[in-house]
Amino acid sequence: MYELSRVRLYSIGPAGARYADTVLDLRGVGEPVPNPAPAQAEFFQDEPVGPPRRPAPAGVLFLENGGGKSVLLKLIFSVMLPGHRNTLGGASSGVLRKFLLADDCGHVALEWQHTLTGECVVVGKVSEWRGRQVSNDPRKFAEAWYSFRPGPGLSLDSLPVAESTAVRSYGEGVSGAQGRRRTMKGFRDAITEAGKAYPHLDIHWEEIHDRWNEHLGDLGLDPELFRYQREMNADEGEAAGLFAVKKDSDFTDLLLRAVTDTRDTDGLADLVHGFGNKLGRRAELTAERDFTAGSVDLLGRIVDAAETRVRARDVHAGAERRTRTLARRLSARAGEERGRTAELAQQVTATAHTVTEAEQARSRSSLIASELAYRHASLALTAAEKAAASQRRELADARTLHAAWQAAEAVLRHRAAADRAARVAVAIREAERDAAPALAARATAAGELVRALHAAAEDGERVAAEEEERSAALQEAGEAAHRDATTAATQAQRARSEAGHLRQRLSEVEQETAEAVSAGWLDDTAPDADPARAALAATDAEKTAVAAWDAAREAARTTADHAKEAAGAE
């Protein structure tokens, strides 16, 4: 069974929505193929990783009305169901001719993949107008169908649809066909040459509908299934519409169309006539069948018994023949084995002598090897001791020479230093002798400079003491001024705060006074009435009342204490 893997449409379609070079790829998203067949990859193709996978088990194409869904199905069905009568919809016999322009050579190629082995087969259709001119005559519309098995040399991507078709496939969505489009004859010549160069492609070309249908059946692609698909999609309805029959005759017609070839009506008539004759002779044939069955049963038992006896005789004769042959072979084999046993005993004796001699030779060789190893080790030890003594002498000489060189360098440095010291001492004495007058004058000047420096230092100390006292007085005055300034700033800030608070309190008092006047607590009808004074008087009265209340509370407390004392005394 095959599944649709890829669809390639080239230079075909309605005038307003044509397929220039489009590939619908459904590969590599299904389950892995259970029994993959060995396949040779293209020269530039990467090595496959893992087993091949089946195409997508289902797919959905979302397009608006008029987007091209029916066009795509018509083009696919034109490959699997050739002929205008099998066109999707069936309303227009020339609908496929409208998908091809005068200069076009349209291609529709379908790649199918086997569900078990993963092998692929490509079937396609190529069509063009004869004479490169659109006509209403269907005889001028040329169609042909082809098939091949893709592999090195030809595949769906490298179809020779143009004069320059790249061998190496481009990236996804990029066509490898470049240059001028080939005609149908040029396309057929190209794939024929590819078939001659690569026989494994198994290229097949057909131009007759019936032969193409037969070839599809040979490939394993049953066109009858696609006829059902065409009928189910005839009006873009559901698949259940195909089986929605109204009476028994409709279902009978559907079944007969499915299992018989509509072209061979005479054969169907003969078949039905033969069944009718058999049904007419049913009673006679039934009795004859029963008699024949009984006879066959009895004869079969006789034949089985005869065959059993013949088989038993054959088995007995064969067993007797095989037994005699086996006895002869066993006696001959016994004589051969006895001779071989004697030879093996002689070989064992000779081998034992050889082993004894080899053991003696091995022990002697081991003693010789041990002696040689001992002598070699003794000679090596003597040579090593001599070499060690020689190296010790060389080491002592080298150390002596090294010490001598080190001492020589120290002596040379000492002599050079003594010479430099003598020269420096002479130079110093000469310099001191030449500089004696200048030194005396320098000593006198130095004494005077020291006295002057002492006097200047005393004056500087006195001035510094005066300036320090003045600085201390100025620092105290500055600190006092800073404290006064800080105090003044604090008082000013406090005054500003108190003024703001008093202004706020004054506004509150004015508001309270106004509320008291409006409430009738203060009388402002008199000419000399002053609400502020009245408020102050009220405040004083409040203070007096609070003092009296405190005195009364103290008296009450004292009275309560006396009462408690009296109660305790009682």
Side-chain angles (χ1 to χ4, degrees), residues 293-325:
S295 301
V296 167
D297 186 16
L298 296 176
L299 293 175
R301 295 178 183 178
I302 296 172
V303 170
D304 293 339
E307 290 178 353
T308 303
R309 185 185 63 180
V310 171
R311 282 198 301 271
R313 288 180 177 178
D314 294 340
V315 170
H316 181 267
E320 186 178 0
R321 186 169 53 255
R322 286 193 300 273
T323 303
R324 292 195 183 97
T325 304

Side-chain angles (χ1 to χ4, degrees), residues 560-570:
D561 293 339
H562 288 315
K564 288 180 180 180
E565 291 177 359
E570 184 181 3

Side-chain angles (χ1 to χ4, degrees), residues 358-368:
E359 289 290 339
Q360 295 175 359
R362 186 179 65 81
S363 59
R364 186 168 56 254
S365 299
S366 63
L367 293 176
I368 294 172

Side-chain angles (χ1 to χ4, degrees), residues 79-134:
V79 179
M80 307 307 297
L81 290 173
H84 300 299
R85 291 177 299 174
N86 293 324
T87 303
L88 181 64
S92 176
S93 61
V95 65
L96 293 178
R97 296 197 295 270
K98 297 179 182 179
F99 294 165
L100 207 64
L101 302 181
D103 297 334
D104 281 342
C105 181
H107 294 268
V108 181
L110 310 178
E111 183 181 76
W112 299 86
Q113 182 179 350
H114 200 275
T115 57
L116 299 179
T117 62
E119 294 178 320
C120 294
V121 61
V122 176
V123 296
K125 172 190 173 183
V126 56
S127 55
E128 69 175 2
W129 287 102
R130 291 188 176 95
R132 297 292 183 179
Q133 186 175 2
V134 179

Side-chain angles (χ1 to χ4, degrees), residues 500-538:
H501 179 69
L502 290 175
R503 281 193 295 270
Q504 183 179 2
R505 181 59 182 164
L506 180 60
S507 62
E508 292 176 356
V509 169
E510 290 177 354
Q511 185 177 1
E512 291 176 357
T513 303
E515 292 176 356
V517 169
S518 61
W521 294 344
L522 296 178
D523 186 13
D524 61 343
T525 57
D528 56 348
D530 187 1
R533 188 178 300 109
L536 293 175

Side-chain angles (χ1 to χ4, degrees), residues 5-206:
S5 177
R6 284 191 296 173
V7 179
R8 184 174 182 182
L9 307 168
Y10 181 81
S11 187
I12 198 169
R18 296 179 55 77
Y19 294 102
D21 191 359
T22 305
V23 177
L24 302 180
D25 196 346
L26 308 175
R27 298 175 299 176
V29 295
E31 296 295 329
V33 175
N35 300 315
Q40 182 179 359
E42 294 284 354
F43 185 74
F44 292 101
Q45 187 177 355
D46 297 335
E47 290 295 331
V49 179
R53 304 183 70 89
R54 293 171 57 181
V60 180
L61 184 62
F62 290 101
L63 289 175
E64 298 179 355
N65 292 334
K69 301 185 293 296
S70 298
V71 172
L72 178 61
L73 291 178
K74 289 175 183 178
L75 294 174
I76 293 175
F77 285 140
S78 68
V79 179
M80 307 307 297
L81 290 173
H84 300 299
R85 291 177 299 174
N86 293 324
T87 303
L88 181 64
S92 176
S93 61
V95 65
L96 293 178
R97 296 197 295 270
K98 297 179 182 179
F99 294 165
L100 207 64
L101 302 181
D103 297 334
D104 281 342
C105 181
H107 294 268
V108 181
L110 310 178
E111 183 181 76
W112 299 86
Q113 182 179 350
H114 200 275
T115 57
L116 299 179
T117 62
E119 294 178 320
C120 294
V121 61
V122 176
V123 296
K125 172 190 173 183
V126 56
S127 55
E128 69 175 2
W129 287 102
R130 291 188 176 95
R132 297 292 183 179
Q133 186 175 2
V134 179
S135 174
N136 292 326
D137 188 359
R139 293 175 297 179
K140 293 184 178 181
F141 186 72
E143 294 178 306
W145 293 264
Y146 59 90
S147 69
F148 65 90
R149 297 192 178 276
L154 186 62
S155 65
L156 185 70
D157 298 320
S158 60
L159 279 177
V161 295
E163 291 183 353
S164 175
T165 300
V167 176
R168 184 173 183 176
S169 60
Y170 285 76
E172 183 177 354
V174 180
S175 174
Q178 305 292 334
R180 190 173 61 181
R181 293 190 294 266
R182 293 181 186 269
T183 62
M184 182 186 293
K185 183 179 181 302
F187 178 78
R188 180 175 182 177
D189 294 341
I191 64 172
T192 303
E193 292 296 330
K196 293 179 181 179
Y198 302 96
H200 65 274
L201 295 177
D202 192 14
I203 294 176
H204 188 84
W205 183 275
E206 284 293 346

Side-chain angles (χ1 to χ4, degrees), residues 475-485:
Q475 187 174 1
E476 291 178 358
E479 291 177 355
H482 180 70
R483 286 195 299 273
D484 295 341

